Amino acid sequence: MPAERLQKIISAAGIASRRKAEALITGGLVSVNGQVVTELGSKADLENDHIRVNGKLLHGAERPIYLLMNKPKGYVTTLHDPEGRPTVIDLLRGLGARVYPIGRLDYASEGLLLLTNDGELADRMMKAASHVPKTYLVKVAGQPTGDALNRLRAGIFIPTDKGRRVKTAPAKIKPIREADNPWYEVTLIEGRNRQIRHMFEEIGHHVEKIKRVRYGPLELDVHPGKFRRLTPEEVTQLKDSAQTLSNRKAPKKPASSPSKI
């Protein structure tokens, strides 16, 4: 077997996404034949080299698994939580394979979450996340005015975790249930941390519930806390979507100048 980049080998083994695998390498948690490797781009041959991640020996690529879960409120979308809160991995007892989430839903949110051990697809989907349409059902406290909703549709400045303020991309917002505390269908093409909550807070309304019902070509169709495997057709759709979005995001190369003879 020809040598491959370590991060590709680790992600194919279902340990982590390509991006997380790079962090494991630079963090000194990967060794090849007893030697710690921290340089990205280092290569190895899984058939002939002993590769360990955090002390555990790799045994080759796992069969690809693709899951669609209905994440309940009160679970975090990480493999481990330092605060001891339940994680979505706790809902996968008996699966018999290691998977990890593509993207995130915060602790208080619920709905469609994708999980896989396909590191290459996870990496492509996360890189293309700023172009993947994601649709949510959102319940807010009070009744926003039409002008306030138009501000959200056009893009609004919200705070980030680093203390800066950034402008959101245009969003689609459609009323779906009128009430003292109404519901809206909100579609975003980006996924900033707690973005929907920050958006509505900027116009003076607290978000009471968030449920993601669509992610790219996929729709939520399982009960809370349950999951199912994607069909081969859905996997193909997801891969095609990731490839299309990645190509759209990539900068165009300048045309080469004609050769002079």
Side-chain angles (χ1 to χ4, degrees), residues 131-229:
H131 296 285
V132 178
K134 296 167 281 287
T135 300
Y136 305 79
L137 303 183
V138 181
K139 181 183 181 181
V140 302
Q143 297 182 333
T145 66
D147 288 342
L149 292 176
N150 285 335
R151 288 175 60 200
L152 301 184
R153 293 183 178 109
I156 192 169
F157 282 93
I158 62 172
T160 67
D161 295 339
K162 298 181 179 179
R164 299 184 297 111
R165 291 181 67 81
V166 296
K167 189 174 184 179
T168 61
K172 295 180 180 179
I173 300 179
K174 180 174 68 175
I176 57 173
R177 187 184 302 169
E178 294 184 1
D180 292 338
N181 298 321
W183 286 83
Y184 297 92
E185 182 183 271
V186 179
T187 300
L188 307 178
I189 56 168
E190 55 187 352
R192 301 183 183 277
N193 189 31
R194 298 177 63 83
Q195 178 172 340
I196 291 176
R197 298 183 190 278
H198 287 315
M199 287 169 58
F200 278 93
E201 285 168 4
E202 287 295 317
I203 62 170
H205 293 272
H206 173 71
V207 170
E208 296 188 340
K209 292 184 180 180
I210 296 178
K211 182 176 184 178
R212 183 157 65 196
V213 294
R214 285 193 291 276
Y215 186 103
L218 303 175
E219 293 193 13
L220 183 64
D221 58 1
V222 294
H223 294 296
K226 303 299 182 180
F227 65 91
R228 68 170 177 83
R229 295 176 184 262

Side-chain angles (χ1 to χ4, degrees), residues 73-84:
K73 179 180 178 181
Y75 285 77
V76 292
T77 52
T78 57
L79 301 183
H80 305 284
D81 182 59
E83 299 179 29

Side-chain angles (χ1 to χ4, degrees), residues 63-78:
R63 181 172 58 87
I65 296 174
Y66 309 91
L67 305 178
L68 184 155
M69 174 187 285
N70 187 344
K71 173 196 159 327
K73 179 180 178 181
Y75 285 77
V76 292
T77 52
T78 57

Side-chain angles (χ1 to χ4, degrees), residues 47-116:
E47 289 187 357
N48 298 307
D49 295 322
H50 286 80
I51 303 169
R52 291 183 180 272
V53 179
N54 208 14
K56 295 182 180 179
L57 183 67
L58 294 193
H59 295 289
E62 296 181 341
R63 181 172 58 87
I65 296 174
Y66 309 91
L67 305 178
L68 184 155
M69 174 187 285
N70 187 344
K71 173 196 159 327
K73 179 180 178 181
Y75 285 77
V76 292
T77 52
T78 57
L79 301 183
H80 305 284
D81 182 59
E83 299 179 29
R85 295 173 296 181
T87 78
V88 292
I89 303 304
D90 296 332
L91 299 170
L92 299 174
R93 302 295 186 191
L95 182 64
R98 293 170 296 187
V99 295
Y100 41 86
I102 298 178
R104 299 172 67 181
L105 280 173
D106 68 36
Y107 181 76
S109 299
E110 56 188 295
L112 196 159
L113 182 69
L114 298 176
L115 302 102
T116 186

